[in-house]
Amino acid sequence: MIPQEIIRKKRDGAELTGAEIKWFVDAMAREAIGAGKVAAFAMAVFFRGMTRPERVALTLAMAHSGQVLDWKGLSLPGPAVDKHSTGGVGDKVSLILAPIVAACGGFVPMISGRGLGHTGGTLDKLDAIPGYRSVPDIALFQRTVRDVGCAIIGQTADLAPADRRFYAIRDVTGTVESIDLITASILSKKLAAGLDALVMDVKFGNGAFMHALKDARALARSIVDVANDAGLRTSALLTDMNQVLGLTAGNALEVAECVEALVDPGRGEARLMAVTRALAAEMLTLTGLAATPAQAAAKVETALASGAAAERFARMVTALGGPADFVERWQRYLPPSPVQRPAVPARPGIVAAVETRAVGLAVLALGGGRKGREDQIDPRVGLTQVAGIGETVGADRPLAVVHAADEASAAAAIAALNEAYTIADRSAATDAAAGAAIVRERIGQSKRRPRHQAGAP
Ligand code: URA
């Protein structure tokens, strides 16, 4: 095949065949075609879009461009199930959720990413735990999933290598924001992880990748349909990211919040726990580990209240090289930042709105995130006691407590938080904003028969 003919066909809005897509992806993975052609292909898809069968073909071709994990060979006594979030500020759900699902009989091989830009990455949070091997070899990963029920690790070079090259080129050619390409990118990695089922947490709001609910819904619909067509049982929840999730943002600080929530779930911040419970229950019903949503919710409660989820987390940390007493003595292992200052608001009142992306960028500026892939992270820095929408703030209740490496960066973060927060007088509008449900919608498999589905007459 001739790559420029495939690019030209897509440029003109025609539908590519599965064979053309597979050929292009294989050539891309082998680096048999240059970055210019890959970028032109991405831009053609960006403007012309892909049909559902094209997206399925792209996803499957990228998934099979490297190693595909096989959990069947380990004879796990339960389903291999994962959750994937499109990312947000303070999104620490995975650290609480994976052990809950493990305690309920699921096996969670969770392959997570590092943070880039304003969103944090699960892997950076776990790297705050001394000794934790976030990129173990596949044998240790599989052993931990089998023995503990969950393992959260980073992406290995062997999984979906075509996506790694494609994403790197999209990242520098203005072609990331395509629902077709995002769908294939996320799902190729999940299919390569050999899962039985997947639950997506698609976030919307000013701290999310997709700001508008309707765009998040379209992404969720695409992911759910393509995943199910590709043989991966998948559903999605649309969750609100118009404020920081939980009370902390910053790597070690978020780990501490999760350990406290696992050990004493009653103290977990309400929105964080609501999202975590909903996603965990969805994973249990999707896999048949619970027969009904009510039964799933009850199992999740038992896993939390009995301490079983906390115990799974402790075992996961130990199995992957972290301290054996981490859950009991996390304070010993997560050193505090040298400077801690309250971000007192310029005026007292009610939090009416938060520019969440700006809060994420403030954490990044403190050293808690990276501007480029090679940047080092300071795990100690970030925010605690982050005020939520509807809360009263003033001299006695800051917008957050800033944890910084030095006074200058603390002062900059305090100024950034004051810019990011809108403080108002109490009104019906602030009450309504505070009461908005965090889990907004569920997107299940569509009943509609896809056009030209593979094998369809
Ligand atoms: N996350 C991914 O893994 N891929 C994308 O294309 C966008 C977000």
Side-chain angles (χ1 to χ4, degrees), residues 244 246-249 340-345 351 359 362-363 366 382-388 391 393-394 396-403 410 413-414 417-418 421:
V244 173
L247 295 173
T248 61
Q340 293 167 24
R341 298 284 175 264
V344 176
V351 176
V359 177
V363 174
L366 283 166
L383 311 172
T384 55
Q385 299 177 42
V386 177
E391 270 192 70
V393 291
D396 306 331
R397 172 50 169 120
L399 303 174
V401 174
V402 173
H403 298 243
I414 290 169
L417 286 174
N418 267 290
Y421 271 73

Side-chain angles (χ1 to χ4, degrees), residues 63-157:
H64 290 279
S65 64
Q67 185 180 17
V68 177
L69 298 184
D70 173 25
W71 300 99
K72 306 254 176 328
L74 295 184
S75 304
L76 300 178
V81 55
D82 194 6
K83 182 269 319 182
H84 183 80
S85 158
T86 53
V89 181
D91 181 3
K92 54 193 76 72
V93 165
S94 296
L95 275 60
I96 311 173
L97 171 104
I100 293 176
V101 174
C104 294
F107 290 83
V108 189
M110 190 177 275
I111 300 176
S112 302
R114 297 199 182 279
L116 193 63
H118 74 284
T119 63
T122 299
L123 224 51
D124 296 325
K125 304 183 211 297
L126 289 165
D127 278 343
I129 302 174
Y132 191 96
R133 286 172 60 190
S134 55
V135 192
D137 56 38
I138 293 291
L140 176 57
F141 179 45
Q142 293 197 313
R143 211 164 48 243
T144 307
V145 171
R146 187 194 60 201
D147 296 348
V148 179
C150 58
I152 308 177
I153 68 155
Q155 196 181 349
T156 71

Side-chain angles (χ1 to χ4, degrees), residues 100 104 262 265-266 273-274 276-278 280-281 284 294-309:
I100 293 176
C104 294
L262 281 163
M273 297 310 283
T276 307
R277 285 184 166 101
L284 300 187
Q295 196 185 82
K299 282 188 147 195
V300 169
E301 281 325 302
T302 304
L304 281 167
S306 64

Side-chain angles (χ1 to χ4, degrees), residues 84 163 167 170 176 181-182 185-186 189 209:
H84 183 80
D163 175 64
Y167 189 86
R170 287 168 56 209
V176 167
L181 298 180
I182 296 170
S185 172
I186 290 175
K189 289 170 283 206
F209 206 46

